[in-house]
Amino acid sequence: MRKFNAVVLGGAPNVFIEQYNPTIEEEYRCELIVDGHKCVFTALNEKYLKNARGFLLVFSLTQESSLRDIENLRQQIYLAKGSDKDIPIVVVGTKLDLSNEREVSRATIHELAESWKLPFYETSAKRNWHVTDVFEDLVRQMRKHSPDRNPVRSKLKKDPCIVM
């Protein structure tokens, strides 16, 4: 069985919910196939920072304050893991479909992506825009970061990789 530990901070469940549904003290799961291997992502609270091997930092494109919160989470990750380490992180702006309510500009995202040296994605869970791309990027970063843990298996074998 392939195991990854990743934390989705500020994440959302696999099913889109119209009402705001925070992940604090809750667990959500998302399953997908990346490069022929089944991966399971679990959103957990911050106590798992130290053991996690990858992170999704999720903010709302319609709420600029949520982007500032991501900076705090990013700093917590570097404090827990060590700022000198190459840590798999993907930053995700959600609610791309709500363009008329957008508060975070693409220019701001571009500046942060360059200064943080992290990939940023704009997604819509409601419309399922670019959601899989985010998880695929993180899994590939984690594989690159820890190549010794990559399985030598044929595509779509039953043994899943588990991302927590």
Side-chain angles (χ1 to χ4, degrees):
M1 180 183 294
R2 176 92 192 260
K3 286 193 175 186
F4 282 125
N5 291 325
V7 175
V8 181
L9 299 173
N14 197 26
V15 177
F16 181 80
I17 297 172
E18 288 286 341
Q19 302 290 47
Y20 176 66
N21 190 15
T23 60
I24 298 169
E25 299 299 327
E26 295 186 33
E27 175 180 305
Y28 295 117
R29 297 175 62 83
C30 171
E31 295 185 18
L32 69 143
I33 305 295
V34 178
D35 299 332
H37 298 280
K38 182 178 177 183
C39 296
V40 179
F41 286 80
T42 306
L44 302 169
N45 66 30
E46 296 165 57
K47 71 181 180 181
Y48 296 94
L49 288 178
K50 211 163 192 132
N51 295 326
R53 291 184 45 220
F55 301 89
L56 293 178
L57 300 180
V58 183
F59 69 97
S60 172
L61 293 167
T62 65
Q63 194 174 14
E64 192 168 356
S65 63
S66 67
L67 182 58
R68 289 189 294 272
D69 294 338
I70 292 300
E71 170 59 11
N72 293 332
L73 293 171
R74 189 179 73 88
Q75 291 300 328
Q76 288 178 21
I77 292 166
Y78 285 117
L79 285 172
K81 304 294 274 180
S83 60
D84 60 330
K85 295 182 181 176
D86 181 30
I87 303 166
I89 299 175
V90 175
V91 184
V92 184
T94 63
K95 301 183 182 178
L96 179 60
D97 57 303
L98 301 177
S99 57
N100 58 333
E101 298 176 36
R102 186 177 184 131
E103 291 183 6
V104 181
S105 72
R106 286 198 168 97
T108 299
I109 291 172
H110 181 71
E111 286 176 25
L112 286 176
E114 284 189 14
S115 69
W116 292 355
K117 296 180 177 46
L118 295 174
F120 272 68
Y121 286 85
E122 294 184 7
T123 68
S124 168
K126 185 175 187 176
R127 304 273 188 241
N128 196 25
W129 294 341
H130 313 291
V131 174
T132 301
D133 299 339
V134 168
F135 291 100
E136 289 176 350
D137 187 330
L138 183 61
V139 168
R140 289 183 181 120
Q141 283 187 52
M142 292 168 65
R143 287 177 181 161
K144 183 179 177 184
H145 189 259
S146 301
D148 57 318
R149 294 189 183 185
N150 282 339
V152 180
R153 295 190 180 117
S154 64
K155 290 188 175 218
L156 296 177
K157 266 218 159 187
K158 293 194 179 208
D159 295 331
C161 69
I162 298 174
V163 183
M164 296 178 64

